[in-house]
Amino acid sequence: MDQAWAGLGHTIRTGEPGYALVHGQGFWDHLGADAGLAASFDAYMQRGTEQWAPAAAALPIWPQHGSVADVGGGIGLLLAAVLDQHAGLRGILVELAGTAERGQELLADRGLGDRAEVLVGSFFDALPAGADVYVLSHILHDWPDEDALRIL
């Protein structure tokens, strides 16, 4: 990851991400092609999310019953925290294939497998219909404005 900083000059000059210039492919493609890098990224995201997810799950914004779809929710840490604190909710985690598998494991390990469904997909794909709440957490900052609008 530190090597990506070598592309900063390119980013400043062009406004385009420098990651692909340094690594030969974009960040998300790189994660998809390198299981070790993907696991490292998941661990990094997990450390940060574990600090704030319980407080977010405790906010009085969640319905008492129904379902929450966490779109691009990583390995499901926020969804797990919400389901832990709100027994009347069911969850749907929408994530890319490798991360979705790790999310399935995490939700099962936390005893939430019977209340959570994991779907392989992207926030650029059609989302599962009928959820009462759709969550995007730590998503939009990674995308140019046009793509952020498509996601929303």
Side-chain angles (χ1 to χ4, degrees):
M1 295 297 295
D2 291 341
Q3 294 171 351
W5 286 101
L8 181 61
H10 172 79
T11 299
I12 292 169
R13 284 189 305 280
T14 67
E16 298 173 358
Y19 194 94
L21 184 70
V22 174
H23 292 286
Q25 58 188 335
F27 179 73
W28 300 110
D29 291 333
H30 197 183
L31 283 185
D34 185 331
L37 181 62
S40 174
F41 180 73
D42 284 350
Y44 166 76
M45 293 300 291
Q46 182 172 349
R47 286 189 302 274
T49 304
E50 286 176 336
Q51 293 177 2
W52 62 262
L59 292 171
I61 59 173
W62 306 101
Q64 294 302 309
H65 302 282
S67 62
V68 174
D70 191 354
V71 182
I75 59 172
L77 291 165
L78 174 59
L79 184 61
V82 169
L83 296 179
D84 278 342
Q85 292 194 33
H86 304 279
L89 288 177
R90 298 188 55 76
I92 304 166
L93 176 65
V94 179
E95 190 48 84
L96 299 176
T99 305
E101 290 176 30
R102 293 185 293 279
Q104 185 80 48
E105 292 171 9
L106 178 124
L107 292 164
D109 289 349
R110 297 205 178 173
L112 299 167
D114 60 331
R115 292 177 45 217
E117 177 183 8
V118 178
L119 301 176
V120 173
S122 161
F123 34 73
F124 292 115
D125 298 332
L127 298 178
D132 298 292
V133 176
Y134 290 84
V135 177
L136 293 169
S137 175
H138 290 231
I139 300 296
L140 298 178
H141 68 282
D142 285 341
W143 296 95
D145 291 348
E146 299 80 27
D147 289 331
L149 286 172
R150 285 181 42 220
I151 293 166
L152 292 173

